[in-house]
Amino acid sequence: MAAAYHGGDRAELREAIRTIQDYPKPGIAFRDISTLLGNPRAFRRAVDELVQPYAGAGISKVAGIEARGFILGGAIAHQLSCGFVPIRKKGKLPHATVSISYSLEYGTDTMEMHVDAVSKGERVILVDDLIATGGTASAAVQLLQKLGAEVVAACFVIDLPELGGADRIRELGVPVRTLIAFDGH
Ligand code: AMP
């Protein structure tokens, strides 16, 4: 039988994440969730904890951000018995899309969704592995809102609170749920 969860005790998740210093460039500590995904207990626990507040909350779609948000989002959607919709980098989706451009440290990027991926008023949760500055997630929230979705929450395994991303999403009126936080970038 699965052990009961005790909200704050997330050492198992933290320990399952590998940190690669100075990747992809000097000064960045890359939080690699591939080790968490490869650990059966930690993967299950991360998904269960992300799902928990939304069971029975009338969510009809999970939107995942390419690419790690697809893995977590697919598992969450299955557990909530709801649909999954991908938010992808420009040029990857085959049908008619809506798009949004957002700023990166250098330059801009564009993400897209199929125009019919969600309908007006649908209750959606947004999922990615990590929130840093919140630029990616805030663009995804705006894309979902553009299609008329009600973004019930934005959910991440990891928060880097020093970069202020979660506050940026809350300013868009969307609650944020994260499981663990790391200091620094
Ligand atoms: P941001 O738009 O700054 O919130 O960056 C979030 C996106 O970049 C997510 O899709 C993350 O997977 C990725 N990302 C940003 N910083 C890191 C980091 N330190 N380790 C791993 N992934 C990161």
Side-chain angles (χ1 to χ4, degrees), residues 87-90 97-103 108-113 135-146 172:
I87 301 181
R88 299 209 63 180
K89 289 164 190 140
K90 189 178 168 62
T97 57
V98 284
S99 66
I100 186 165
S101 294
Y102 58 104
S103 324
T108 63
D109 213 343
T110 302
M111 62 171 65
E112 297 182 331
M113 287 181 72
T136 310
S138 105
V141 165
Q142 290 172 68
L143 204 49
L144 286 162
Q145 290 176 339
K146 206 158 144 178
L172 295 173

Side-chain angles (χ1 to χ4, degrees), residues 28-31 68 128-137 160 185:
I28 304 290
F30 190 85
R31 308 299 177 177
R68 293 180 288 266
D128 202 1
D129 63 331
L130 177 149
I131 182 159
T133 65
T136 310
L160 304 183
H185 291 208

Side-chain angles (χ1 to χ4, degrees), residues 10-59:
R10 298 204 172 117
E12 184 183 4
L13 295 183
R14 180 179 293 277
E15 284 159 16
I17 293 161
R18 171 166 58 194
T19 297
I20 315 278
Q21 295 296 343
D22 298 318
Y23 180 88
K25 57 183 187 188
I28 304 290
F30 190 85
R31 308 299 177 177
D32 173 20
I33 65 151
S34 71
T35 43
L36 179 148
L37 299 173
N39 174 327
R41 273 181 62 109
F43 184 26
R44 175 162 193 127
R45 180 157 184 173
V47 172
D48 283 351
E49 292 221 26
L50 287 171
V51 161
Q52 190 267 326
Y54 310 108
I59 305 299

